[in-house]
Every structure is written in C-alpha cells, then in structure tokens.
C-alpha cells in the first residue's frame, strides 16, 4: 500500500527531491506549493524538475546531497545531510548535534 | 457503456452502472456534508471522481506536478509485521532506498509512549545510529494510547467499568488523571528523542481513547513546542470525530467531543503542531465511490481551513482505502489520486 501511494502521488523520496521538500515542510511548516517553490529556487530548478529522477540524480551528484546509488567517494548519510542543510539553508537537528559533539 | 468495476469498503468486488456510480458519489458527499455541516462536492469535482473510477486501468496516478510528500506511521513496525526479518535501521534503509519514501519513522513494536518511557535509553542509540546512515527526514513515533493508563493496565480506575455503573464523576476524574500521566510520558520520550537528533515527533492514532486522548496530545504538543520551538510535530488522528468518552474536556475553550477534522486542525494549529494528519473511516457496507466521495468532502474542508501542512491518513481502513490487510492497487491508487487532486493536499 505504501508503494502504491508512492507511485500514485508521492514525490519519489531521494530518487528525486521528495526528502528535500519534506524537510522544508517539517522545518518551516510550509504547505506543498510553497515548499516545492522554495526547494526549486534553492536548487535552481523548475518545480516540475523536482520529481524527475534523471535530472535529480545529476543534481544530487553535483551538490553531494545523497544519492540512491552511492558511488565511491560521494557524500553519504550524515555527510550528505551537512550538505542538505547548507543547500536548503535549514538547520537539521542531527547535523547540529553532530557538530556540537565533534567540535 | 459497460459496468464500472469497483469494490465495497471491505474490498469485495462490485460492478456499478455510471448512474449508480454517480448516485453513490452524491450520497457519500451528502453524508459528510450533513455530519460535518460543510459544503458538498461540486458537480465538476463529482465528475472528476466519475472519470477516475471509469478509467479502464488497474493503476492511476496524479498528473505531473501534483505529487505530494509522504509520511508514514508505525514505519519500521510494518516491515516486521509482514515477517521480514530485518532490524529497524535496515527497515529505514529499505523504505529510503527501495520504496521511494520521502520521510520515515522509527518506532518500537510496543507502539505507545507509556511502554517507551522505561526503554527510551535503549531507543535513543538506535535513532542516533540510524541518523548517521540515512538521508531522508526521520520521525520518532508512538501513540498516546490513554487506554494503557486505566486498570488493569494502569493505575487509574477504569472508566469503562465506572460509566455503566452510573459513576459519571468518578469516570471523568479518572480520564482527567490519565491526561496528566500521558502528557508526562509523551514529553519524557519525545524530548529524549529530539535530544538524540530526530527530525520530528509523530503522535499517532490520536483520539483513539476519546477526548482525553486528544486533549493529552494537544497539551503535550504545546509543551514540546514551548521547550523546542524548532521541533516538527506531526499529529495523526485515530478516527474522523472525537469520541466524547469524558464529554466535557476542552482545549483553548473549545469542547473536544464530536469535533470533525476541519475543527480538529484549528486546535492542532493552536497547540503548535507542524503537520496534521486527519482521518475519515471507511464504511465496509458502502461502495468505495461512496467512501471516497465522503472522505474527500471532509478532507477538502480540512485542507481549506488549515494554515499548516495536511497529510491525510490513507492506510488500511481510512481515507476510502479498503478494510483489508492487502488493499487492492485499483482502489488505493484511485483514492490517492482523487484525494490529492481535489483536496489540494500537502501530503499523505
């Protein structure tokens, strides 16, 4: 059922920009159109490109914000979330705490 | 025009003519409008539903550009429920990398805040490790579940035993005591998981034990937001209206018993909730078109009056999804598309 919803109406998660739009909704309480517009502007994309997995794979690779198929040397996990916080201009709770514990 | 294949709310196959389909859609929206004192769906919206149900495909989807964010309740629990023997961090990775999840939730199999409290020290390192290796936002979630606070499971007299004896005052006093205990447990566990780095806290199945359950969740949300203004709180409901088990409880001067989603969301906003997850229950004796039209009527009004993101609950048995362990793709995809497109939702 979760898969049916993901295909019927989901943003595709990190295959595309679903996780990024979700982060903006969660951090700023933005409604969907506003959140999509915010992410599109930060990534310098159109809103329609946010759900395109081919375009987003290139964007995610270029920006080092985590890829579905992680290639050697690319940012993964918490490393990618440091970059996501920077790219989206948001505070990410676990990134803040990682920073506090390591500095 | 041949018959249109659809289903009853329990998933049993059903065939309707186009006029029968429209009749069910009209009756569904009329039922919601009457109960909620809200507008019925317009002719154009009903025709859009007819077109969705008439589509000769097993699977349908939203038009490009209409996609929404998905959040999940009882996330890691569902992998174990189907007998897949992976641990919870692996379950999160499966959702993230294989299921296209936009967000995910870490949870314990004993999915209530009360049993989480004594094991929160064991839960925190799991979340902390998961946050190192995943990318999508992670909630930590559980249910307020006020039923666990009355005897024999908890310390307070059982209202379900007191009410039939006519001991109304005693039953109400018991509910009020459970609110205080539940708020303490929700705060203890949620604050700890936030301190471990969670992206959000999900209060799930809110209102399952009635108005006291909803009140406890609103009070806890308010207190969490006071302490951690940046915390994302998702509040997902248990049913379409608040059961008045106590019947006189209020939040911000509003009586909670009997509230429907478009009224619930206004209180959630006042309490500082970030994302609201309303519910409409599926009626197994009616058709899926009847259920979907009814659900959309409620959800459209809720989305219209809301200023915070709305993630409608569309799991088994709610949001016109059939009451069956294996909801059919034809109904789930139609409900998903119709709900998102007509209600202008922010997520599911």
């Amino acid at each position: 059922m979760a898969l049916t919803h993901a295909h019927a109406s989901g943003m595709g998660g990190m295959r595309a920009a679903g996780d990024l739009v979700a982060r903006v909704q969660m951090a700023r309480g933005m409604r969907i159109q506003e959140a999509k517009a915010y992410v599109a502007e930060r990534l310098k994309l159109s809103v329609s490109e946010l759900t395109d997995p081919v375009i987003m794979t290139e964007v995610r690779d270029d920006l080092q914000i985590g890829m579905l198929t992680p290639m050697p040397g690319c940012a993964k996990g918490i490393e990618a979330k440091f970059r996501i916080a920077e790219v989206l201009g948001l505070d990410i709770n676990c990134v803040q705490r990682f920073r506090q514990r390591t500095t | 025009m041949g018959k249109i294949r659809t289903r009853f709310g329990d998933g049993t196959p059903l065939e309707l003519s186009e006029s029968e389909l429209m009749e069910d859609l009209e009756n569904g929206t009329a039922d919601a409008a009457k109960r909620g004192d809200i507008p019925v769906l317009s002719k154009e919206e009903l025709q859009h539903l007819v077109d969705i149900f008439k589509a000769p495909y097993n699977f349908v989807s939203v038009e490009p550009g209409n996609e929404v964010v998905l959040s999940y309740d009882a996330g890691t629990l569902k992998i174990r429920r189907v007998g897949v023997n992976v641990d919870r961090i692996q379950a999160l990775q499966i959702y993230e990398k294989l299921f296209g999840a936009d967000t995910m939730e870490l949870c314990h199999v004993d999915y209530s805040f009360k049993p989480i409290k004594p094991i929160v020290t064991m839960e925190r390192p799991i979340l902390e490790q998961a946050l190192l290796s995943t990318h999508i936002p992670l909630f930590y979630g559980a249910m307020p579940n006020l039923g666990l606070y009355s005897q024999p499971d908890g310390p307070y007299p059982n209202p379900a035993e007191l009410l039939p004896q006519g001991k109304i005052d005693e039953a109400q006093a018991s509910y009020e005591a459970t609110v205080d205990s539940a708020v303490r447990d929700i705060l203890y566990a949620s604050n700890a998981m936030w301190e471990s780095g969670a992206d959000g806290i999900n209060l799930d199945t809110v209102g399952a034990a009635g108005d006291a359950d909803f009140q406890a969740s609103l009070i806890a949300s308010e207190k969490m937001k006071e302490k951690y203004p940046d915390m994302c709180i998702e509040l997902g409901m248990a049913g379409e209206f608040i059961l008045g088990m106590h019947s006189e409880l209020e939040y911000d001067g509003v009586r909670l018993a009997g509230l429907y989603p478009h009224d619930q969301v206004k209180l959630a906003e006042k309490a500082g909730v970030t994302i609201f997850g309303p519910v409409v229950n599926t009626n197994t004796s009616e058709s899926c078109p009847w259920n979907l039209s009814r659900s959309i009527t409620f959800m459209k009004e809720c989305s219209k009056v809301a200023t915070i993101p709305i993630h409608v609950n569309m799991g088994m048995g709610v949001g016109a999804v059939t009451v069956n362990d294996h909801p059919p793709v034809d109904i789930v995809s139609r409900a998903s598309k119709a709900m998102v497109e007509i209600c202008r939702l922010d997520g599911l």
Side-chain angles (χ1 to χ4, degrees), chain B residues 302-325:
Chain B
C302 179
S303 182
K304 183 179 146 192
V305 303
T307 58
I308 58 175
I310 300 297
H311 287 201
V312 169
N313 276 269
M314 293 193 72
M316 191 266 279
V318 293
V321 173
T322 51
V323 183
N324 187 288
D325 275 342

Side-chain angles (χ1 to χ4, degrees), chain A:
Chain A
M1 185 172 53
L3 277 173
T4 307
H5 283 305
H7 285 107
S9 54
M11 289 206 66
M14 61 182 296
R15 293 181 78 238
D19 60 322
L20 308 178
V21 175
R23 281 199 184 280
V24 173
Q25 264 196 355
M26 293 169 67
R28 300 274 171 89
M30 288 180 183
R31 302 206 65 176
I32 191 73
Q33 297 306 334
E34 193 185 358
K36 284 181 180 177
Y38 180 89
V39 174
E41 188 187 343
R42 300 293 297 197
L43 300 183
K44 299 182 173 55
L45 296 173
S46 67
V47 168
S48 64
E49 288 171 322
L50 295 178
T51 48
D52 187 318
V54 175
I55 292 170
M56 281 307 303
T57 296
E58 281 191 28
V59 171
R60 297 189 79 110
D61 190 17
D62 289 346
L63 296 175
Q64 291 288 290
I65 54 176
M67 296 176 69
L68 204 66
T69 308
M71 300 306 287
C74 79
K76 301 173 193 69
I78 191 75
E79 300 165 343
K81 286 193 275 197
F82 269 79
R83 293 284 304 134
I84 291 171
E86 192 179 329
V87 168
L88 293 183
L90 302 173
D91 286 337
I92 294 179
N93 191 15
C94 64
V95 169
Q96 297 282 87
R97 292 176 193 280
F98 188 104
R99 211 174 260 134
Q100 287 166 11
R101 288 178 190 136
T102 54
T103 54

Side-chain angles (χ1 to χ4, degrees), chain B residues 252-265:
Chain B
D252 199 39
V254 178
R255 187 182 181 197
L256 302 179
L259 293 184
Y260 276 98
H262 52 284
D263 293 319
Q264 296 163 12
V265 69

Side-chain angles (χ1 to χ4, degrees), chain B residues 27-40 260 262 280 290 293-298:
Chain B
N27 289 339
T29 190
D31 185 80
K34 184 180 172 190
R35 289 172 190 268
D37 193 21
I38 53 179
V40 294
Y260 276 98
H262 52 284
V280 175
W290 185 93
S293 175
R294 182 174 182 276
S295 293
I296 286 176
T297 305
F298 277 122

Side-chain angles (χ1 to χ4, degrees), chain B residues 15-285:
Chain B
E15 288 190 340
L16 296 173
S17 67
E18 189 165 337
S19 62
E20 290 169 332
L21 171 63
M22 182 55 96
E23 187 181 339
D24 275 11
L25 293 172
E26 287 172 346
N27 289 339
T29 190
D31 185 80
K34 184 180 172 190
R35 289 172 190 268
D37 193 21
I38 53 179
V40 294
L41 297 179
S42 69
K43 282 184 181 174
E44 292 74 22
E45 288 162 340
L46 291 173
Q47 187 56 49
H48 188 49
L49 287 174
V50 168
D51 294 341
I52 289 172
F53 277 105
K54 278 172 64 179
Y57 311 111
N58 277 336
F59 182 89
V60 300
S61 71
V62 298
E63 291 179 17
N66 287 343
E67 298 91 346
V68 295
V69 168
L70 304 183
S71 53
Y72 300 76
D73 55 9
T76 50
L77 201 158
K78 285 168 182 166
I79 288 280
R80 297 304 302 271
R81 189 185 291 165
V82 293
V84 177
N85 295 305
V86 297
D87 82 4
R88 288 185 287 166
I89 295 178
Q90 292 167 327
L92 295 171
Q93 291 172 321
I94 288 169
Y95 270 88
E96 173 179 279
K97 291 294 185 81
L98 304 180
F99 290 1
D102 299 312
T103 69
M104 196 41 194
E105 179 201 89
L106 178 72
C107 66
H108 190 263
V109 285
D110 205 349
Y111 191 54
S112 301
F113 282 103
K114 185 184 170 197
I116 300 301
K117 189 176 182 181
I119 60 163
V120 76
T121 311
M122 302 301 289
E123 288 293 272
R124 291 181 65 177
I126 303 289
L127 176 68
E128 289 168 5
Q129 290 177 58
L131 287 163
L132 291 174
S133 59
T134 56
H135 307 77
I136 61 177
L138 294 187
F139 286 90
Y140 187 84
M143 302 188 296
N145 198 357
L146 266 68
L148 291 181
Y149 293 88
S150 56
Q151 296 162 2
D153 299 310
Y156 303 112
N158 194 326
E161 291 176 357
L162 296 169
L163 287 170
Q165 297 170 34
K167 296 180 178 175
I168 309 298
D169 291 343
E170 292 87 341
Q172 287 184 323
S174 177
Y175 274 122
E176 288 159 21
T178 64
V179 170
D180 295 337
S181 291
V183 168
R184 279 198 297 274
D185 290 352
I186 295 168
L187 293 177
Y188 184 88
S190 299
N191 292 351
M193 301 317 282
W194 179 256
E195 291 284 351
S196 280
D199 292 295
I201 300 298
N202 183 24
L203 305 186
D204 184 28
T205 325
V206 167
D211 43 359
D213 204 299
F214 189 39
Q215 190 192 47
S217 303
L218 293 171
I219 294 170
S221 298
E222 186 182 311
K223 290 181 182 295
M224 285 190 275
K225 210 67 178 180
E226 276 171 16
K227 186 167 185 182
Y228 301 109
D230 294 334
M231 180 189 278
C232 168
I233 303 168
E234 180 161 358
L235 193 143
M237 301 304 294
E240 63 191 39
F241 71 95
I242 307 297
L243 293 167
M245 303 306 292
H246 179 291
S247 85
E248 293 179 331
L249 292 177
E250 296 182 352
Y251 181 78
D252 199 39
V254 178
R255 187 182 181 197
L256 302 179
L259 293 184
Y260 276 98
H262 52 284
D263 293 319
Q264 296 163 12
V265 69
K266 301 314 289 179
L267 297 182
E269 287 171 356
K270 283 181 184 170
V273 167
T274 318
I275 298 172
F276 182 64
V279 161
V280 175
N281 303 93
T282 298
N283 183 334
T284 55
S285 304

